[in-house]
Amino acid sequence: MRPPSGDRLHGSPLTDAGLALLNPALALHPALVALDLGDCMLGDEAINLICGLLPPDGAKSGLKELTLSANPGITPKGWSRLAIAVAHSSQVRVLNLDYNPLGDHVAAMLAVAVASSRTLEVLDLEGTGLTNQSAQTLLDMVENYPTALRSLVLAENSISPELQQQICDLLSEGEEEEEVAGGAGDTQERERGREPAAHQRGSSSWMCPSDPSSQMVLMTSGLGDSLLAETEM
């Protein structure tokens, strides 16, 4: 069974009850990697179901991209549950929570989740009621804890441009360090290429290619294309 595509789910009055009906198909689908449930009138019960699509590290494959934009019915309790699931997920890379009334308390929980996650690269917090308090927490996280984060959207919040720029600079520094490390790895690969073929076959080293995407804090108010529920049969 093929779950409904994201363009039909986004903006539909799905509610928690509707998602409960869809959940068995979503949970069993072997290739569901992205799900857009933005503006679907969801609440905490829906979050409980969604967390099941973000299995703990190593349990099984799960969502890589999740959009929950504009679902004001979700309470801090629901967001805290999602933050725990994201922290322990080994799959999720993109999390869009824009235009939810999160506030500084929920943002602090999300910062802990980002610091714990080894895979989360994009976090959209546009228009979520954040202040400089949240920005300082996020700044401390980026400054003191190595993360996979590459894009942090903080537009349309009460956050000073100075704090946003500091976060942007730190993310950029992290990208430069990765590029330097990647360059060293390329040199080692070239040196290894001069070694006898038999020696190369005996090597168990594997070099992961660096991600060419830039690390940044998006300070504009433009929205990107909405995510769809991408599936493969």
Side-chain angles (χ1 to χ4, degrees), residues 159-167:
I159 297 175
S160 70
E162 292 78 13
L163 278 173
Q164 294 194 51
Q165 188 60 51
Q166 289 181 58
I167 297 172

Side-chain angles (χ1 to χ4, degrees), residues 23-128:
N23 188 63
L26 296 173
L28 293 175
H29 199 286
L32 183 68
V33 296
L35 185 62
D36 186 343
L37 296 173
D39 195 19
C40 285
M41 300 174 63
L42 303 182
D44 289 354
E45 289 301 318
I47 290 294
N48 292 337
L49 298 172
I50 292 167
C51 288
L53 303 175
L54 301 172
D57 190 4
K60 61 178 181 178
S61 61
L63 289 176
K64 294 183 179 180
E65 302 180 12
L66 176 61
T67 296
L68 292 171
S69 312
N71 282 293
I74 301 173
T75 71
K77 180 180 178 180
W79 293 124
S80 65
R81 182 173 175 80
L82 180 69
I84 293 171
V86 169
H88 288 278
S89 170
S90 60
Q91 302 289 326
V92 65
R93 298 181 182 277
V94 178
L95 183 61
N96 295 319
L97 304 180
D98 48 310
Y99 298 105
N100 284 296
L102 303 182
D104 292 330
H105 179 64
V106 172
M109 292 187 291
L110 291 172
V112 174
V114 174
S116 301
S117 172
R118 298 192 299 273
T119 60
L120 189 65
E121 297 178 355
V122 178
L123 178 60
D124 187 349
L125 298 177
E126 180 174 359
T128 51

Side-chain angles (χ1 to χ4, degrees), residues 2-12 14 22 26 32 34-40 65 67 226-231:
R2 185 183 181 90
S5 62
D7 55 346
R8 291 200 298 269
L9 290 178
H10 189 110
S12 65
L14 187 61
L22 288 176
L26 296 173
L32 183 68
L35 185 62
D36 186 343
L37 296 173
D39 195 19
C40 285
E65 302 180 12
T67 296
S226 63
L227 295 174
L228 302 180
E230 300 172 0
T231 60

